[in-house]
Amino acid sequence: MEIVCPIDAELGTEISALLTPPSPADVEEYLNELIQSSSRQCNGITVKQNGELGKGVYADSDLKEGELLLKDQMLVGLQHSSNKIDCLVCSFCFRFVGSVELQIGRRLYLQELGVSAGRDCCEADYSAEDEDLDDSGPSSSIYKEKVPLPKGIAESVMNGGLKLPYSDKFSLPPAVPCPGGCKEAYYCSKQCAESDWDLSHSLLCTGERSKAISREALVKFIQHANDTNDIFLLAAKAVSSTILKYRKLKVAYSEDRENIPNVAGSPYLSLLLKAWKPISVGHKRRWWDCIALPFDVEPSDEAAFRMQIRELAFTSLELLKAAIFDEECKPIFSLEIYGHIIAMFELNNLDLVVVSPVEDYFLYIDDLPNPEKKEVEVITRPFLDALGDDYSVCCQGTAFYPLQSCMNHSCSPNAKAFKREEDRDGQATIIALKPISEGEEVTISYVDEDLPYKERQSLLADYGFKCRCPKCLEEEP
């Protein structure tokens, strides 16, 4: 029997208003305002409509190969729960925090405790108060079994009791705890902590100062997302952000209520629509309609699979509603709205990757001249052996980037997402792969463009289209 969300039946008019796409002119205006904003580095690009493909990003000046086109600030993003064991990063900008010693010691200490991915890996308080290697560097293509450190060493280096040689060359900002006291979110600065609190975390914090209506329900929601799909955590950030923006808009207009437009009979729906605008530019379809069919699901079972996905989303929504429901923002707790939010991330998400300073540290040690290198490795080598071959694990997550998501696909792209040496946070960095002429569309590849034609097209089918770029037309059977 199909699940029915009561809010969908009750608030059809309001939900329809939220899901009505903004006009192409409004979308262009909004996105080009983002290009001009101080929070983004944009060079020689603009957003405009592209006929059959909708909106696209275009060069508004001649661009050189290797030139930075965009550093895009995410709308929402998250670090994968399993990755939190390996990397302690700012929950807002995703820079590594603490120190090299904290990063190494914390990981080894949790390893000793047998902490599994996504379980209590952030509950500690981290706030501030042999032989030569071959040419391959500290990592080897042959898997090496981890060699545990003597008991107490990992905890000592984590807590600052032991300093590693040359670690001061890789200084990191101190870890700032969450203002809500949840001990799950840490930040690289007070500014990032306050920004995240104001944007979404105040409603999603499980600490004592959380503004959630039920911290117990919030914990259940987070656990469900960790057990099923952490895309629900992204959706929760989008919902929370919309609620908090709505509340700020309401306060700003509270003294002039007579001048607030009345939309669909609700005196405040116009404010909700304004708060919803960043999402309205990105959403297109419902999650259960657009999610790719897994390879192990037979076509004959597709309808049942999509119904299960819808039920999973409804379970998540009910848990979130119990945690942060706001009566005045009731329409965004409809299953239709929730499904569109999740699909926006499903279709437009980009991997969030930040290189680990731990990798940089061990590579630096490996490049030291002898005999200094041998002397230093007496101290550092046991830590490298304890970490094993995956010592260089980077921060990994997923995020939605408003401008990057406007870039259309080509199997022969002229730009790509690429982290330069100086890019040490979670922003999306797009550089030119080749010279781009003024007026030319800026394209990236959604898949590995070196794959055979059929494999590329199969992967692109999950995005709902077939590539017709010159390369594909040439390779088409």
Side-chain angles (χ1 to χ4, degrees):
M1 183 178 178
E2 184 174 333
I3 289 175
V4 177
C5 176
I7 295 177
D8 286 293
E10 177 187 350
L11 300 175
T13 302
E14 290 83 351
I15 293 166
S16 177
L18 288 166
L19 293 180
T20 299
S23 70
D26 285 344
V27 171
E28 276 190 36
E29 180 182 7
Y30 170 76
L31 293 170
N32 284 309
E33 284 177 359
L34 293 184
I35 288 176
Q36 301 300 323
S37 67
S38 59
S39 63
R40 289 171 172 81
Q41 294 181 41
C42 301
N43 178 40
I45 60 172
T46 188
V47 175
K48 59 184 180 180
Q49 292 300 307
N50 178 3
E52 62 184 32
L53 297 178
K55 56 185 177 291
V57 176
Y58 290 81
D60 62 7
S61 64
D62 290 339
L63 301 167
K64 299 176 182 178
E65 179 180 348
E67 192 168 354
L68 174 68
L69 306 182
L70 170 67
K71 281 204 72 174
D72 198 6
Q73 177 66 47
M74 66 190 71
L75 179 64
V76 291
L78 61 81
Q79 180 186 14
H80 292 312
S81 298
S82 58
N83 185 248
K84 290 181 178 181
I85 294 174
D86 299 322
C87 307
L88 181 64
V89 301
C90 175
S91 293
F92 186 69
C93 74
F94 300 94
R95 292 179 64 193
F96 279 78
V97 298
S99 65
V100 167
E101 286 88 353
L102 174 59
Q103 294 290 337
I104 293 173
R106 171 182 175 273
R107 183 174 169 190
L108 293 176
Y109 179 67
L110 293 171
Q111 192 173 290
E112 287 178 0
L113 295 178
V115 176
S116 60
R119 292 186 58 195
D120 304 323
C121 58
C122 296
E123 288 299 315
D125 190 349
Y126 306 113
S127 53
E129 313 209 21
D130 313 278
E131 290 181 55
D132 289 345
L133 297 166
D134 60 24
D135 292 337
S136 63
S139 181
S140 169
S141 60
I142 302 174
Y143 179 77
K144 296 178 182 178
E145 187 174 347
K146 296 176 182 178
V147 181
L149 291 171
K151 188 173 179 61
I153 297 297
E155 186 174 6
S156 177
V157 75
M158 177 179 70
N159 293 328
L162 176 62
K163 183 174 174 61
L164 298 176
Y166 294 106
S167 64
D168 56 347
K169 293 185 178 294
F170 302 87
S171 61
L172 301 173
V176 176
C178 166
C182 66
K183 293 187 178 180
E184 294 170 4
Y186 285 84
Y187 301 92
C188 67
S189 65
K190 184 179 179 181
Q191 181 180 357
C192 273
E194 291 174 349
S195 296
D196 197 33
W197 184 259
D198 292 341
L199 182 65
S200 65
H201 190 62
S202 57
L203 284 176
L204 301 176
C205 176
T206 57
E208 292 182 357
R209 292 181 289 280
S210 172
K211 294 184 179 180
I213 59 175
S214 171
R215 286 192 290 152
E216 182 180 356
L218 184 58
V219 170
K220 290 180 180 179
F221 166 79
I222 294 171
Q223 187 61 56
H224 176 265
N226 287 334
D227 290 343
T228 56
N229 194 329
D230 62 9
I231 202 170
F232 295 136
L233 300 177
L234 275 176
K237 285 192 172 188
V239 171
S240 174
S241 177
T242 302
I243 292 172
L244 293 173
K245 285 179 183 176
Y246 166 82
R247 291 176 181 176
K248 288 178 183 178
L249 288 169
K250 183 183 174 184
V251 169
Y253 285 98
S254 62
E255 296 180 356
D256 195 20
R257 292 187 179 184
E258 292 181 1
N259 293 331
I260 298 176
N262 188 312
V263 179
S266 171
Y268 297 115
L269 182 58
S270 60
L271 298 184
L272 185 57
L273 287 167
K274 190 172 182 179
W276 170 256
K277 189 168 186 177
I279 309 297
S280 72
V281 171
H283 78 76
K284 295 181 180 71
R285 303 163 64 190
R286 298 180 302 189
W287 183 44
W288 45 89
D289 292 334
C290 68
I291 188 172
L293 197 66
F295 70 91
D296 57 347
V297 175
E298 296 294 331
S300 59
D301 297 326
E302 180 174 354
F305 166 76
R306 298 198 181 282
M307 183 63 69
Q308 289 174 354
I309 293 298
R310 186 177 184 275
E311 292 172 357
L312 182 65
F314 182 73
T315 299
S316 172
L317 175 61
E318 289 297 290
L319 292 170
L320 182 63
K321 188 167 75 169
I324 66 169
F325 182 71
D326 184 312
E327 181 67 33
E328 292 186 11
C329 297
K330 192 173 183 179
I332 64 172
F333 288 93
S334 77
L335 186 56
E336 278 291 305
I337 294 291
Y338 199 56
H340 277 79
I341 293 174
I342 300 170
M344 183 180 76
F345 300 128
E346 182 78 26
L347 296 173
N348 296 287
N349 70 308
L350 188 72
D351 288 342
L352 189 163
V353 178
V354 183
V355 175
S356 169
V358 174
E359 178 181 20
D360 294 336
Y361 173 74
F362 283 116
L363 289 173
Y364 178 85
I365 298 300
D366 191 45
D367 285 339
L368 289 173
N370 283 318
E372 185 181 8
K373 175 181 173 181
K374 285 190 175 182
E375 294 174 1
V376 169
E377 283 190 329
V378 171
I379 299 172
T380 63
R381 189 56 189 248
F383 290 96
L384 182 59
D385 290 341
L387 290 169
D389 285 342
D390 55 354
Y391 74 97
S392 60
V393 172
C394 58
C395 168
Q396 299 173 346
T398 187
F400 176 80
Y401 300 91
L403 294 174
Q404 177 272 334
S405 70
C406 296
M407 292 183 174
N408 288 313
H409 166 83
S410 171
C411 288
S412 183
N414 56 20
K416 70 174 180 177
F418 179 77
K419 290 283 189 176
R420 304 163 301 167
E421 180 63 29
E422 63 265 36
D423 298 320
R424 295 286 172 163
D425 59 18
Q427 294 186 77
T429 306
I430 308 295
I431 64 167
L433 279 173
K434 59 185 76 170
I436 304 174
S437 301
E438 181 178 355
E440 184 179 351
E441 183 174 11
V442 177
T443 58
I444 58 176
S445 181
Y446 298 174
V447 299
D448 182 354
E449 60 266 33
D450 293 328
L451 290 172
Y453 170 83
K454 287 187 177 180
E455 289 186 42
R456 296 199 311 271
Q457 296 295 348
S458 176
L459 291 171
L460 291 171
D462 293 342
Y463 291 92
F465 69 88
K466 180 178 181 179
C467 184
R468 306 293 293 174
C469 72
K471 177 180 177 179
C472 288
L473 291 174
E474 183 179 334
E475 297 177 0
E476 189 174 20

